Amino acid sequence: MNSPTVPVKTRDDCIALDRADRLAIWRERFSLPRGVIYLDGNSLGAQPLATAARVADVIAREWGQDLIGSWNTAGWIAAPQRVGDAIAPMIGAAPGEVVVCDSTSINLFKVLNAAWNIVTSEARAPLRDRIVSESDNFPTDLYIAQGLGALLGGRVRLDLVDSASIASAIDSRTAIVMLTHVNYRSGAMHDMATITRIAHDAGALVVWDLAHSAGAVPVDLHAANADFAIGCGYKYLNGGPGAPAFVWVHPRHHDRCLQPLSGWMGHAEPFAFSPVYAPAPGIARFLCGTPPILSLAALECGVASIADAGIAALRAKSLALTTCFIDMVDARCGEAGLDALELVSPREPAHRGSQVSFRPKGKLVGETYAIVQALIARGVIGDFRAPDILRFGFAPAYLRFVDAFDAAEALADVLATREYADARFQVKAVVT
Ligand SMILES: *Cc1c(COP(=O)(O)O)cnc(C)c1O
């Protein structure tokens, strides 16, 4: 499906788009509460209906009846590779190049250290002491890089620049460029191939975090000639809360890169029980400990819910949805005489991921959290990202054009009526 060429104005326009949408039936594969418009699938993806039965079967039969034999008979031991292979085509990786394990934060630590080991084994290494990233990267990525720097006794330090200055910040002192492909706050997407080329030309390696890309935006790691990538299982891949993450390494690095969490699952022969670590060939060396089978079973259903729809079709629908939403918010706020929201996400579709973010301005400064709470009270679930971002994720597998319309109406209404000013919307919860 292509982005509509004329601006979508009415609810009937949206109903017509939903009728023409070949992915519309996909929504029936998900558990979505009635009366809720869920615009937070970029933070916690919705639950595929297949998941509950699959996890129940793992519990009742595979674990309950077959006990430890299931490591072999139910394919538990191969689950990290099997689910990795299901993710691979969405990110431009080949079979056998992706494993699922640990969390995004932990996988980032592993690949950063592996990249550092490669860089420092090369001749020009002593001069390279910088990890270049952007100040607006997701904090855990920055914290992990800072932690690695401390562990390495300050031999590498994090250089933070704004997103427009990344290319110019990469130089002969750069060891690693560490970026998130789609920014979690703004939804702005980096040009992966160009930045990777600039980094390589300067002799640096590149680590891409695909947390807000995988499952929503087609990624081509091989075409971009990337070095390392990691990503999240519980966002657009619908793997469930705390789902394990994935890790990819370009095969040219496989046999020369050692990661620091050298656990037995990444050993060449875990069941030889040798006292000496010997890394498995290929990506398997990025495994650490025993795989979380219940979580992997849920993630496998989540990945299927996306893979079966096709990433190209999902991307086309995602862009159509976000474009409609931006147009409708502009139009509704304009009609209501509200010059209230600044679009933070790129207006150019090719430059944004699958979310739309705004920053309230004028009288609304400081009210972002309350606006989000007022919308949630109406069943429109978006989220607040400090300090002042109003964020709406559009998971194309289960959202309709009428959802985008109704959410835009609700937003304009909450602003026009000043509903957000109600005291009950001002109280902050721990998780925002
Ligand atoms: C969501 C997200 C994470 C999450 O990391 P966890 O280890 O799963 O908590 C990391 N990086 C980015 C860029 C994210 O968007």
Side-chain angles (χ1 to χ4, degrees), residues 264 267-275:
W264 71 310
H267 192 279
E269 287 185 274
F271 292 91
F273 293 104
S274 159

Side-chain angles (χ1 to χ4, degrees), residues 91 180-182 189 192 209-219 236 311:
I91 58 172
T180 298
H181 182 221
V182 173
M189 184 160 67
M192 182 180 281
D209 188 331
L210 305 180
H212 285 274
S213 315
V217 177
V219 173
Y236 293 107
I311 196 73

Side-chain angles (χ1 to χ4, degrees), residues 331-356:
R332 288 295 282 109
C333 288
E335 282 160 23
L338 289 163
D339 178 25
L341 299 174
E342 173 195 343
L343 179 67
V344 173
S345 304
R347 209 169 267 280
E348 168 59 43
H351 294 165
R352 67 173 182 262
S354 200
Q355 72 184 60
V356 178

Side-chain angles (χ1 to χ4, degrees), residues 19 22 29-30 74 81 85 87 105 126 137 191 222 305 307 318 338 340 346 348 372 391 393 397 405 421-422 424:
R19 285 221 183 92
R22 271 184 290 144
R29 289 192 167 206
F30 292 88
Q81 281 89 350
D85 281 349
I87 294 171
S105 303
N137 199 345
D191 179 342
H222 273 287
S305 75
S318 150
L338 289 163
E348 168 59 43
V372 171
R391 188 173 76 155
F405 182 89
D422 192 305
R424 74 197 153 115

Side-chain angles (χ1 to χ4, degrees), residues 42 103-106 137-138 140-141 180 182 184 209 211-212 230 232 234-235 243 245:
N42 54 323
S103 65
T104 305
S105 303
I106 293 174
N137 199 345
F138 191 81
T140 202
D141 296 43
T180 298
V182 173
Y184 77 107
D209 188 331
H212 285 274
I230 50 162
C232 211
Y234 52 79
K235 293 174 178 162

Side-chain angles (χ1 to χ4, degrees), residues 149-187:
L151 189 71
L152 294 172
R155 275 180 293 139
V156 62
R157 73 175 183 82
L158 186 59
D159 229 359
L160 293 179
V161 296
D162 63 38
S163 86
S165 317
I166 288 161
S168 53
I170 300 170
D171 60 21
S172 60
R173 299 191 64 174
T174 307
I176 302 165
V177 177
M178 174 189 83
L179 290 172
T180 298
H181 182 221
V182 173
N183 185 279
Y184 77 107
R185 267 206 203 94
S186 68

